[in-house]
Amino acid sequence: MKEDFYYQYQLNQSHKNLDNKAYIEITTNLMNSILNKQENKENILVIGAGNLSDFDLSFLLTCFNNVYLTDIDVLSINQALKDKKHSPKIKVKQVDYIGTRDTNFFNDFSELLKFTEYNEVDQFFQNKIRKLMSFQFSKSFNIKFDSIYISPIYTQLLYREVETILINLTNKGFSNEYKNRLLSELLQTMTDIIDHFNIEIDNLLNDDGTLFIGSDIFYLSEDTLSVKVKNAISKQERMERLYLNYQKKYGYGLGDYGLYSLSQYLISYHEKWLLWGKNQNNAYAVKFCVMGKI
């Protein structure tokens, strides 16, 4: 088991007891209204299935003949399946979406402790990124899909894992300055990584297929912005204005850049703002989109 599996398993377990009941109900109703009109419903691919906590698996099983549940962490999937574990419709598949496992991305990060110059650090890291950019997770499948469902995933792709490892390395002597420079560089590189991921998604979707995706845009607590978002989120136009004003001021985050990038390959038919992953006073503001081929 690799570093990225442990990170993802811990993340999935931390999401296990979050309140997503309303989120699942609303997104299921929206998906149902779309799928009722969709002619082909043989296969659906779930990206970032985790512990199955943000979609209605029973609903998907009534709509499709084959439901592919994928994640780099299949242990969480299998634990959550319970009585559905032996359903002939369900295919559980471990998939490394950006190639960290298949390219051994995290295996030798301790080598950073040996470098004294930042150009050595940078070269080490860029060599790893180049390998990721040539990785194609779509080759894990020999079919295309009539539908794809993507859980909130863009903010979980690579950056947080690297940040966690580098913080641990600074406790062992790695330069804090180098860590910050590397993370700043990685944040810029994340646009290329997300673009590459989205191209793979586009390659897996049939020409007449439908993609459902939720992307977490804001983490909400009790600060002023969070209160404004919570008050606006059930009102689509008001929420969109708030978001656009925020974006003009601060630019893109990973979650909304993911949706922007995807819009270069797919067209959005429906969009809805929702609260996801509620836990007492905290939650995520998610933009849920229904998309198809341009």
Side-chain angles (χ1 to χ4, degrees):
M1 293 184 183
K2 302 290 192 276
E3 181 81 34
D4 49 0
F5 168 79
Y6 284 118
Y7 177 87
Q8 198 61 45
Y9 177 76
Q10 291 168 353
L11 190 63
N12 286 334
Q13 294 307 300
S14 71
H15 286 174
K16 182 180 283 187
N17 298 316
L18 298 178
D19 179 10
N20 284 327
K21 184 177 179 180
Y23 179 87
I24 293 172
E25 182 178 348
I26 294 170
T27 55
T28 299
N29 288 337
L30 177 56
M31 291 167 67
N32 187 48
S33 67
I34 301 299
L35 292 172
N36 278 337
K37 303 170 188 175
Q38 183 168 309
E39 184 175 346
N40 297 316
K41 288 179 281 191
E42 181 66 22
N43 304 306
I44 184 170
L45 171 64
V46 178
I47 299 287
N51 53 40
L52 317 181
S53 63
D54 59 44
F55 60 93
D56 186 342
L57 178 58
S58 296
F59 165 72
L60 297 184
L61 290 171
T62 63
C63 294
F64 296 91
N65 290 328
N66 297 289
V67 177
Y68 287 75
L69 302 175
T70 71
D71 204 298
I72 198 165
D73 165 27
V74 293
L75 179 57
S76 289
I77 297 177
N78 287 323
Q79 287 177 344
L81 278 174
K82 298 179 181 177
D83 60 319
K84 294 184 176 67
K85 194 169 185 178
H86 302 293
S87 169
K89 286 188 172 186
I90 294 176
K91 327 292 183 193
V92 176
K93 189 174 181 64
Q94 186 177 46
V95 178
D96 178 12
Y97 302 120
I98 58 173
T100 54
R101 183 190 59 177
D102 290 53
T103 65
N104 297 316
F105 186 87
F106 292 111
N107 277 18
D108 55 353
F109 260 58
S110 59
E111 292 292 308
L112 289 172
L113 296 172
K114 299 178 180 179
F115 301 139
T116 58
E117 301 292 335
Y118 185 73
N119 66 329
E120 296 174 298
V121 172
D122 186 53
Q123 184 176 9
F124 170 87
F125 196 69
Q126 288 307 317
N127 287 338
K128 288 183 170 293
I129 293 296
R130 276 192 286 274
K131 291 179 182 179
L132 294 187
M133 296 306 295
S134 63
F135 178 77
Q136 295 177 292
F137 84 85
S138 59
K139 291 184 177 180
S140 301
F141 304 94
N142 56 11
I143 61 171
K144 290 195 174 187
F145 295 89
D146 300 309
S147 287
I148 298 177
Y149 176 94
I150 305 179
S151 294
I153 197 173
Y154 291 118
T155 57
Q156 299 176 32
L157 293 175
L158 192 65
Y159 184 86
R160 296 304 176 196
E161 294 169 88
V162 173
E163 181 182 45
T164 299
I165 290 172
L166 292 182
I167 289 172
N168 289 335
L169 285 178
T170 59
N171 295 330
K172 297 178 181 179
F174 184 58
S175 164
N176 193 61
E177 177 194 346
Y178 289 176
K179 179 207 74 175
N180 292 335
R181 289 176 66 178
L182 202 56
L183 287 176
S184 177
E185 188 176 331
L186 175 59
L187 197 57
Q188 300 303 314
T189 306
M190 284 304 301
T191 57
D192 295 328
I193 291 171
I194 288 173
D195 287 343
H196 184 66
F197 171 82
N198 283 341
I199 290 171
E200 292 290 279
I201 293 295
D202 182 49
N203 288 339
L204 286 169
L205 186 66
N206 279 330
D207 288 342
D208 59 350
T210 305
L211 181 136
F212 305 98
I213 179 170
S215 188
D216 49 315
I217 309 299
F218 297 109
Y219 176 71
L220 308 177
S221 55
E222 292 298 300
D223 58 274
T224 302
L225 175 64
S226 295
V227 172
K228 287 182 180 179
V229 171
K230 290 176 184 178
N231 289 336
I233 202 160
S234 62
K235 304 171 182 66
Q236 187 70 16
E237 291 186 9
R238 180 180 169 188
M239 182 63 208
E240 198 64 24
R241 286 197 301 271
L242 188 157
Y243 162 66
L244 290 174
N245 287 335
Y246 179 90
Q247 191 183 63
K248 286 178 183 177
K249 187 173 182 178
Y250 297 104
Y252 283 101
L254 297 180
D256 44 348
Y257 180 79
L259 293 179
Y260 166 77
S261 167
L262 202 55
S263 71
Q264 307 306 298
Y265 314 104
L266 303 171
I267 188 168
S268 182
Y269 297 114
H270 298 276
E271 297 180 352
K272 191 167 186 62
W273 286 92
L274 298 163
L275 292 180
W276 171 79
K278 291 191 291 182
N279 181 9
Q280 295 179 339
N281 295 322
N282 301 324
Y284 294 90
V286 164
K287 195 170 190 179
F288 189 85
C289 303
V290 181
M291 309 180 86
K293 296 279 188 174
I294 295 176

